[in-house]
């Protein structure tokens, strides 16, 4: 889901649909692709361009290798192309897409290939390097981050993280991750905040890196955190988490609550220690959305008989009361709470929630997106 000043755009199966943010009417005609969409750039470029990948066919051997640039302002198709396979075992069966500056980074199974997001011109490839290090996961945004698997099936097996120059692919720094730990997510790329799990997935680690790639801090908390992360079979979805917010000095995470209210925990990135906690103002979970103007924007989920709400909290000071910014109506509470797998955003005073998983049952009408405003 992408929100511009005028348009809310949603990808679903083989289509991109666009709605006017003020009234929900179609902004531009639906864009239809020959086959199903298999990857997208989670963020748009500075001038509102995205890139969509769709499958090469309908067979089980189809590859996620067809690229199409789209202008979110008009729905116009820009350049298109095909992602080639790399070397042996380096396939484009599944890819990850991200944008950093003017660079589109396409992650294959064992390497990455970069294109100019405006023209589709190939810029560079990020291939095997060092001690059998294969880069296969990338995260874009203010920085371009690469995660590589090194020394597989050897005594020196480990992950490595690099910051890449988006224009050239040159590594600015390299951080070796201790053996037995896997980089699963990037909660942020600026600052770099990594979520890692051990080999048996029984332990986790959240590490913040300095500008040179050295460790700034590691989270020291007994809380059971519960951000919402995609469960895609694609392991390279580094940026597939919702319910996480980061600013220059603080990480904001929701705690897990099977029933009733949860908490948002603010963690000091300089020390890894908790700064403060705030309980949800209702008997439902509250999740971070983003940080704006020194305040944390959070979504308080809907219940069966009450609509959700958007609230803000001051990030500084000793007190962190919630201020209601937008209250969703009770009349759509059941629809709002039906988005079990979802994408959410709060832009220009409007709240958007959309489904990220449809069951494909032709006999039912599933809700794709809701938008609320004052």
């Amino acid at each position: 889901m992408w929100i511009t000043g005028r348009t809310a755009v949603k990808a679903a199966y083989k289509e991109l649909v666009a709605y006017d943010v003020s009234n929900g009417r179609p902004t531009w005609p639906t864009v239809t692709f020959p086959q199903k969409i298999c990857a997208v750039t989670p963020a748009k470029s500075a001038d509102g361009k995205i890139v969509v990948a769709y499958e090469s066919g309908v067979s089980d051997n189809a590859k996620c290798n067809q690229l199409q640039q789209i202008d979110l302002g008009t729905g116009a198709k820009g350049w298109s192309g095909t992602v080639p396979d790399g070397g042996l075992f380096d396939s484009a069966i599944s890819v990850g897409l991200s944008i950093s500056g003017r660079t589109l980074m396409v992650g294959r199974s064992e390497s990455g290939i970069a294109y100019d997001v405006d023209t589709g011109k190939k810029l560079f490839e990020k291939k095997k390097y060092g001690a059998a290090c294969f880069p296969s996961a990338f995260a874009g945004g203010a920085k371009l981050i690469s995660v590589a698997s090194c020394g597989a099936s050897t005594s020196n097996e480990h992950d490595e993280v690099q910051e890449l120059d988006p224009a050239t692919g040159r590594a600015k720094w390299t951080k070796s991750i201790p053996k037995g730990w896997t980089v699963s997510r990037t909660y942020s790329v600026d600052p770099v905040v990594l979520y890692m799990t051990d080999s048996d997935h029984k332990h986790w680690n959240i590490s913040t890196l300095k500008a040179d790639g050295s460790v700034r801090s590691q989270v020291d908390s007994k809380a059971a955190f519960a951000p919402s992360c995609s469960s895609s079979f694609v392991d390279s979805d580094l940026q597939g988490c919702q319910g996480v917010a980061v600013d220059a000095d603080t990480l904001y995470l929701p705690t897990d609550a099977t029933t009733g209210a949860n908490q948002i925990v603010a963690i000091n990135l300089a020390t890894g220690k908790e700064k403060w906690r705030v309980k949800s103002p209702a008997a439902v979970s509250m999740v971070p959305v983003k940080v704006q103007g020194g305040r944390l924007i959070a979504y308080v989920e809907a219940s069966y008989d009450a609509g959700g709400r958007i609230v803000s909290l001051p990030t500084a000071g000793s007190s962190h009361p919630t201020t209601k910014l937008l209250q969703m109506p009770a009349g759509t509470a059941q629809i709002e709470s039906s988005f079990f797998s979802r994408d959410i955003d709060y832009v220009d005073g409007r709240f958007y929630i959309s489904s990220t998983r449809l069951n494909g049952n032709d006999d039912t009408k599933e809700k794709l997106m809701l938008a609320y405003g004052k």
Side-chain angles (χ1 to χ4, degrees):
M1 183 176 70
W2 305 268
I3 312 298
T4 72
R6 174 172 174 253
T7 304
V9 182
K10 176 66 181 169
Y13 190 40
K14 297 181 179 180
E15 296 180 341
L16 283 185
V17 290
Y19 307 100
D20 189 302
V21 297
S22 64
N23 56 33
R25 298 192 183 107
T27 307
W28 34 259
T30 296
V31 177
T32 302
F33 299 90
Q35 304 297 338
K36 67 180 180 180
I37 296 169
C38 47
V40 299
T41 53
K44 58 185 182 291
S45 67
D47 58 351
K49 304 295 195 307
I50 62 167
V51 177
V52 171
Y54 61 92
E55 295 192 343
S56 59
V58 297
S59 73
D60 292 340
N61 296 322
K63 296 179 180 179
C64 184
N65 64 357
Q66 303 297 303
L67 301 181
Q68 177 65 63
Q69 185 219 54
I70 300 288
D71 185 332
L72 292 179
T74 64
K77 293 182 178 181
W79 60 268
S80 60
T82 299
V83 181
D85 286 341
L88 187 65
F89 306 121
D90 189 12
S91 170
I93 288 179
S94 63
V95 299
L97 305 183
S98 57
I99 291 176
S100 185
R102 307 312 310 166
T103 297
L104 166 71
M105 197 71 205
V106 181
R108 296 179 294 211
S109 57
E110 291 186 342
S111 69
I113 183 168
Y115 300 91
D116 186 304
V117 74
D118 294 316
T119 66
K121 176 185 176 182
K122 179 181 173 181
L123 299 177
F124 61 85
E125 288 193 55
K126 178 62 176 175
K127 297 182 178 180
K128 172 186 173 182
Y129 69 91
C133 291
F134 293 91
S136 58
F138 300 88
K143 295 181 179 180
L144 178 58
I145 300 300
S146 167
V147 176
S149 175
C150 301
S153 301
T154 71
S155 60
N156 191 35
E157 185 173 0
H158 66 284
D159 278 5
E160 283 190 2
V161 180
Q162 294 183 325
E163 180 188 348
L164 306 181
D165 182 330
T168 65
R170 180 184 62 84
K172 296 184 177 182
W173 50 258
T174 300
K175 169 63 179 175
S176 181
I177 304 300
K179 181 180 179 181
W181 289 88
T182 299
V183 179
S184 301
R185 308 286 181 181
T186 53
Y187 284 163
S188 168
V189 297
D190 187 20
V192 177
V193 181
L194 307 175
Y195 174 78
M196 297 178 281
T197 57
D198 62 6
S199 55
D200 57 9
H201 297 281
K202 291 184 178 180
H203 302 91
W204 57 265
N205 174 280
I206 300 174
S207 293
T208 302
L209 305 186
K210 298 178 183 177
D212 62 358
S214 59
V215 175
R216 179 182 177 189
S217 69
Q218 295 182 324
V219 169
D220 180 11
S221 172
K222 301 299 184 183
F225 297 118
S228 176
C229 298
S230 63
S231 57
S232 169
F233 68 91
V234 181
D235 293 331
S236 57
D237 190 13
L238 291 177
Q239 295 178 293
C241 290
Q242 293 250 325
V244 180
V246 180
D247 59 27
D249 301 305
T250 311
L251 167 66
Y252 306 91
L253 286 169
T255 62
D256 191 16
T258 53
T259 59
N262 74 333
Q263 296 176 316
I264 288 179
V265 180
I267 297 167
N268 189 327
L269 293 181
T271 64
K273 306 288 186 180
E274 291 187 18
K275 297 168 71 173
W276 47 262
R277 292 184 177 214
V278 169
K279 186 178 180 180
S280 172
V284 292
S285 289
M286 174 173 65
V287 297
V289 177
K290 62 179 63 174
V291 180
Q292 284 183 338
R295 298 185 70 86
L296 175 66
I297 306 298
Y299 170 52
V300 181
E301 297 177 344
S303 63
Y304 70 96
D305 61 351
R309 70 187 85 163
I310 294 292
V311 299
S312 71
L313 303 78
T315 58
S318 58
S319 178
H320 307 276
T322 59
T323 300
K324 188 192 302 182
L325 302 179
L326 184 65
Q327 175 67 58
M328 273 60 88
T332 55
Q334 290 188 4
I335 299 174
E336 184 186 346
S337 60
S338 71
F339 291 93
F340 298 111
S341 181
R342 70 193 184 199
D343 196 358
I344 59 174
D345 206 352
Y346 180 71
V347 182
D348 297 332
R350 297 184 181 94
F351 173 65
Y352 303 86
I353 181 169
S354 64
S355 175
T356 56
R357 182 173 299 167
L358 300 176
N359 65 32
N361 185 341
D362 292 339
D363 296 328
T364 60
K365 291 289 187 179
E366 298 176 79
K367 301 299 183 183
L368 181 65
M369 179 186 292
L370 282 175
Y372 299 90
K374 292 182 178 178

